[in-house]
């Protein structure tokens, strides 16, 4: 049986996401970010609403990425998500990309030249950010070039590296349609960025998202709803270097900048440098927000929802994969659950995100 894995945020769900699900064959499993997403910001609407959107439009099983997988740079994000999907029996990873090339051949090349590529990255000057070093290494390995303005392709290369560790799992790219990833253009295949920016335009939302009813009615979360919490954490924390991935230089930059800014984006812009990209700084802001420290990933997988086909698949896996379908007295992942509690501070209309919540079951 073909089992298609999809790594997603659905932040929020739009026509392009439905198109991607439609292109996937067989059983469709989505590993989805929770209430904080990869680029380091809170999700626009909560994980349960986004899981509902996915299930209503083709997903058979939706599982949650733990916080320390979801809010990571591309390589770690991909490695963690692919590992979860592989444990669920994925036979092919389906993903959107601005450049549809032979990623399976790239995975083979990486598998054969992994040590050389890693050595090349280490030898590149520290003046380059890690994403820049990674681009240089891929260009050297494959002879191809790509722009930093193609984030789906950057993630696709991270998926390629992650998949190279597994035999028998294929890479199935789908050509991205519509304008660019961060385009705010109002169109049928609008980006998630455009939907977040224009969410009050109900006519546009109805045109660009098949889940417009949920999108219109769900409680929304915006970064600046949590700015004062971030400020409090920075001002009162005794040692910012205790925070995940924080070094002395960045800690000093945060301490200085927080007195001069009045929004998250101003804070990010003030702390970021050529070496420390805005994406890295955004993730650090999220780590500061939830007081994240390095900790083990959970041994079990949190199930957010399933169809009848997905339920049958879970039954087949239950003797070799540990699942959590209801969080009660026993926690699933303490850091993810703490992040969810902080997330709820942004909007009093948000429901409890964990305790007592059962998976969504598609009729």
């Amino acid at each position: 049986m073909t089992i298609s894995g999809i790594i997603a945020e659905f932040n929020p769900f739009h026509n392009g996401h439905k198109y991607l699900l439609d292109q996937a064959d067989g059983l469709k499993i989505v590993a989805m970010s929770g209430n904080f997403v990869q680029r380091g910001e809170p999700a626009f609407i909560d994980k349960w609403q986004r899981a509902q959107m996915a299930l209503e439009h083709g997903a058979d099983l939706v599982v949650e990425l733990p916080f320390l997988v979801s809010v990571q740079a591309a390589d770690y994000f991909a490695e963690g998500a692919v590992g979860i999907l592989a444990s669920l029996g994925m036979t092919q990873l389906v993903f959107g990309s601005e450049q549809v090339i032979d990623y399976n051949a790239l995975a083979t090349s990486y598998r054969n030249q992994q040590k050389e590529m890693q050595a090349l990255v280490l030898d590149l000057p520290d003046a380059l950010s890690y994403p820049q070093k990674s681009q240089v290494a891929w260009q050297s390995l494959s002879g191809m070039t790509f722009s930093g303005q193609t984030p789906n392709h950057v993630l696709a290369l991270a998926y390629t590296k992650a998949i190279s560790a597994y035999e028998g799992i294929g890479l199935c790219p789908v050509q991205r349609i519509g304008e660019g990833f961060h385009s705010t253009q109002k169109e049928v295949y609008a980006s998630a960025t455009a939907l977040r920016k224009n969410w009050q335009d109900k006519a546009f939302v109805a045109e660009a998202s098949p889940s417009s009813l949920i999108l219109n009615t769900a409680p929304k979360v915006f970064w600046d709803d949590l700015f004062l919490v971030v400020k409090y954490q920075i001002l009162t924390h005794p040692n910012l270097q205790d925070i995940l991935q924080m070094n002395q230089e960045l800690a000093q930059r945060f301490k200085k900048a927080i007195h001069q800014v009045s929004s998250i984006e101003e804070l990010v812009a003030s702390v970021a440098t050529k070496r420390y990209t805005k994406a890295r700084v955004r993730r650090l802001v999220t780590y500061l927000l939830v007081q994240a420290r390095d900790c083990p990933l959970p041994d079990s997988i949190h199930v957010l929802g399933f169809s009848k086909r997905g339920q049958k698949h879970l039954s087949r896996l239950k003797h070799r994969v540990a699942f959590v379908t209801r969080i009660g007295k026993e926690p699933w992942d303490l850091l993810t659950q703490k992040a969810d509690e902080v997330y709820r501070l942004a909007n009093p209309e948000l429901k409890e995100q964990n305790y007592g919540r059962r998976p969504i079951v598609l009729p």
Side-chain angles (χ1 to χ4, degrees), residues 245-254 271 276 280 284:
Q245 298 180 10
M246 183 75 74
N247 61 29
Q248 183 179 14
E249 180 184 357
L250 283 163
Q252 291 174 345
R253 294 185 68 83
F254 272 108
V271 174
Y276 301 121
R280 178 175 176 180
L284 280 170

Side-chain angles (χ1 to χ4, degrees), residues 145-210:
T145 59
F146 61 95
S147 164
Q149 301 306 310
T150 56
N152 279 324
H153 180 53
V154 172
L155 272 177
L157 293 173
Y159 297 153
T160 301
K161 289 170 67 175
I163 286 290
S164 70
Y166 300 88
E167 295 289 346
I169 299 179
L171 290 152
C172 184
V174 175
Q175 179 69 56
R176 181 181 171 86
I177 52 180
E179 294 293 328
F181 186 81
H182 295 305
S183 169
T184 57
Q185 184 74 30
K186 292 184 180 182
E187 58 170 351
V188 173
Y189 285 98
S191 69
T193 302
L195 278 166
R196 292 193 300 270
K197 184 178 178 63
N198 299 287
W199 65 275
Q200 291 175 306
D201 184 341
K202 288 184 168 48
F204 164 62
V205 170
E207 179 183 42
S209 173

Side-chain angles (χ1 to χ4, degrees), residues 99 101 105-106 109-110 113 117 120 134-146 153 157:
Q99 299 181 36
I101 57 177
L106 276 183
S109 295
Y110 182 79
Q113 302 178 63
M117 185 168 175
L120 176 58
S134 184
Q135 288 188 33
V136 171
W138 274 111
Q139 289 167 7
S140 175
L141 173 68
S142 65
M144 68 180 182
T145 59
F146 61 95
H153 180 53
L157 293 173

Side-chain angles (χ1 to χ4, degrees), residues 26-132:
L27 186 82
K28 303 170 188 182
I29 304 177
V30 175
M32 191 186 76
S33 296
N35 285 325
F36 289 89
V37 298
Q38 194 259 336
R39 65 192 299 261
E41 59 186 39
F44 186 53
I45 58 177
D46 75 46
K47 60 189 179 185
W48 297 98
Q49 302 277 12
R50 288 180 286 123
Q52 181 78 43
M53 293 173 169
L55 291 165
E56 289 180 356
H57 296 287
D60 292 301
L61 173 62
V62 181
V63 299
E64 180 179 4
L65 297 178
F67 178 89
L68 282 185
V69 172
S70 181
V71 188
Q72 287 280 9
D75 284 356
Y76 295 103
F77 173 79
E79 181 182 350
V82 166
I84 290 170
L85 288 170
S87 72
L88 295 173
M90 173 178 65
T91 62
Q92 65 175 13
L93 181 67
V94 181
F95 56 93
S97 181
E98 297 90 347
Q99 299 181 36
V100 173
I101 57 177
D102 191 346
Y103 288 100
N104 289 297
L106 276 183
T108 300
S109 295
Y110 182 79
R111 190 179 293 119
N112 295 333
Q113 302 178 63
Q114 182 175 355
K115 290 182 179 179
E116 292 89 338
M117 185 168 175
Q118 291 173 342
L120 176 58
V121 169
L122 289 174
D123 286 341
L124 290 169
D126 288 340
L128 296 176
S129 66
Y130 181 79
Q132 290 170 328

Side-chain angles (χ1 to χ4, degrees), residues 6-46:
I6 295 169
I7 301 168
E9 293 178 342
F10 297 152
N11 186 38
F13 195 89
H14 56 60
N15 290 334
H17 295 137
K18 184 178 185 305
Y19 177 78
L20 180 66
L21 281 167
D22 288 345
Q23 303 311 300
D25 297 325
L27 186 82
K28 303 170 188 182
I29 304 177
V30 175
M32 191 186 76
S33 296
N35 285 325
F36 289 89
V37 298
Q38 194 259 336
R39 65 192 299 261
E41 59 186 39
F44 186 53
I45 58 177
D46 75 46

